[in-house]
Amino acid sequence: LFIMAFFVIAAYYIQTRTLWLSLFLTFLFIMFYYYFVFRTNNKLNKKYLYSVIVIAILIIGYNSIKIISSQKKQEQVVNKTTTEKMGSISAPTTDVSFLMRVELGYYMVQRFLENPILGEGFGGKINYKIFDSVAIQYPDNSWLYFLWKEGIVGTFLFSLLFFRLFKQSFYILKNTNNIETKIFILGIMGGFVGILFMSLLSANLIKYGKINFIYAIIFAYVEFEKRELYICKQNLK
């Protein structure tokens, strides 16, 4: 709980809206799986989960209403505060940074349709035409980037990595009796739910090489736990 609180506070001050939504989805996934799968017969835990969801919705709704009302009073906004950023989540079409992502997304889809099977290949850049004039190598949408660069074939192969990760993780949660392993695996699954969502509006899967090294360690850990379970089952037979 202390670590979760630390991450929430840090994410709040970072003021990255995509991170806020990703963190919310991560917590929601972990709580849903924990309270509905691990403790399916505990009605109190389900009520607790419903309460947390309602509180989160009320907080987001309150900040959304607050920013909408403040925008009506002000014609220009120079610096966005945290409250204003939270409010823009409910009205993405008023956010220039979101619209810039949409613009590049449209161009990436066009480039993907030109080479849909194998993609265009690595090395090229994409240019803004409406909101800016700069060339971007790593746009803020990892999955459209994969489609543009690698086509359907490359994106499918890359997606298999995450499919295998979740498949093995569910298998481990179902079969292991080690509570620490369950905690780690559930945390990994919840974390990747947030990461995969964030990759729709971020270059986190394509741009940051040091993070990819951490991903490799996580994949290896899940593979290790899966093999340990397999070996234990074979020995029992």
Side-chain angles (χ1 to χ4, degrees), residues 1-227:
L1 290 176
F2 172 78
I3 295 175
M4 290 172 65
F6 173 79
F7 275 110
V8 170
I9 294 172
Y12 180 82
Y13 282 103
I14 289 174
Q15 297 190 9
T16 302
R17 287 153 294 185
T18 309
L19 180 59
W20 295 343
L21 291 174
S22 301
L23 200 61
F24 175 74
L25 288 176
T26 295
F27 289 159
L28 188 63
F29 175 85
I30 292 175
M31 293 175 66
F32 175 84
Y33 199 93
Y34 183 75
Y35 289 115
F36 282 86
V37 178
F38 286 172
R39 302 181 179 182
T40 54
N41 297 321
N42 195 326
K43 295 182 179 180
L44 180 61
N45 287 324
K46 293 182 181 181
K47 291 180 180 178
Y48 173 75
L49 175 60
Y50 293 143
S51 301
V52 171
I53 294 174
V54 170
I55 291 173
I57 293 174
L58 289 176
I59 292 174
I60 295 174
Y62 169 77
N63 284 280
S64 300
I65 295 172
K66 192 173 180 180
I67 180 55
I68 291 173
S69 61
S70 64
Q71 284 179 341
K72 291 181 180 179
K73 298 178 181 179
Q74 299 178 359
E75 293 182 359
Q76 294 182 347
V77 177
V78 179
N79 295 317
K80 287 188 174 182
T81 63
T82 301
T83 303
E84 289 170 333
K85 284 196 171 187
M86 292 186 71
S88 66
I89 294 176
S90 62
T93 56
T94 63
D95 184 5
V96 176
S97 64
F98 175 77
L99 295 176
M100 292 175 72
R101 287 177 168 87
V102 172
E103 181 189 358
L104 280 189
Y106 174 74
Y107 301 146
M108 282 188 286
V109 171
Q110 286 184 324
R111 300 276 280 271
F112 159 69
L113 293 176
E114 294 176 2
N115 302 280
I117 305 301
L118 298 178
E120 186 178 291
F122 295 99
K125 296 183 178 181
I126 197 165
N127 293 77
Y128 286 105
K129 298 178 182 179
I130 300 175
F131 292 98
D132 209 330
S133 59
V134 298
I136 302 296
Q137 186 174 4
Y138 299 108
D140 289 327
N141 191 315
S142 299
W143 291 103
L144 285 181
Y145 176 87
F146 290 134
L147 286 172
W148 164 32
K149 296 290 187 177
E150 303 178 3
I152 296 175
V153 175
T155 304
F156 173 74
L157 293 175
F158 187 79
S159 301
L160 285 180
L161 293 174
F162 295 99
F163 175 78
R164 178 179 174 83
L165 176 73
F166 278 93
K167 183 179 179 181
Q168 289 184 321
S169 298
F170 277 114
Y171 176 85
I172 295 169
L173 282 174
K174 183 178 179 181
N175 292 277
T176 186
N177 294 320
N178 189 319
I179 186 61
E180 291 183 353
T181 300
K182 288 191 175 188
I183 291 172
F184 282 127
I185 295 297
L186 183 57
I188 288 171
M189 292 173 65
F192 269 99
V193 166
I195 288 171
L196 294 178
F197 170 79
M198 190 173 182
S199 64
L200 295 173
L201 295 170
S202 170
N204 63 325
L205 294 181
I206 58 178
K207 186 177 181 180
Y208 311 109
K210 294 180 180 179
I211 298 181
N212 291 336
F213 177 72
I214 297 175
Y215 293 162
I217 294 176
I218 294 174
F219 276 73
Y221 169 72
V222 174
E223 182 73 24
F224 169 79
E225 292 291 353
K226 170 71 180 332
R227 293 190 179 187

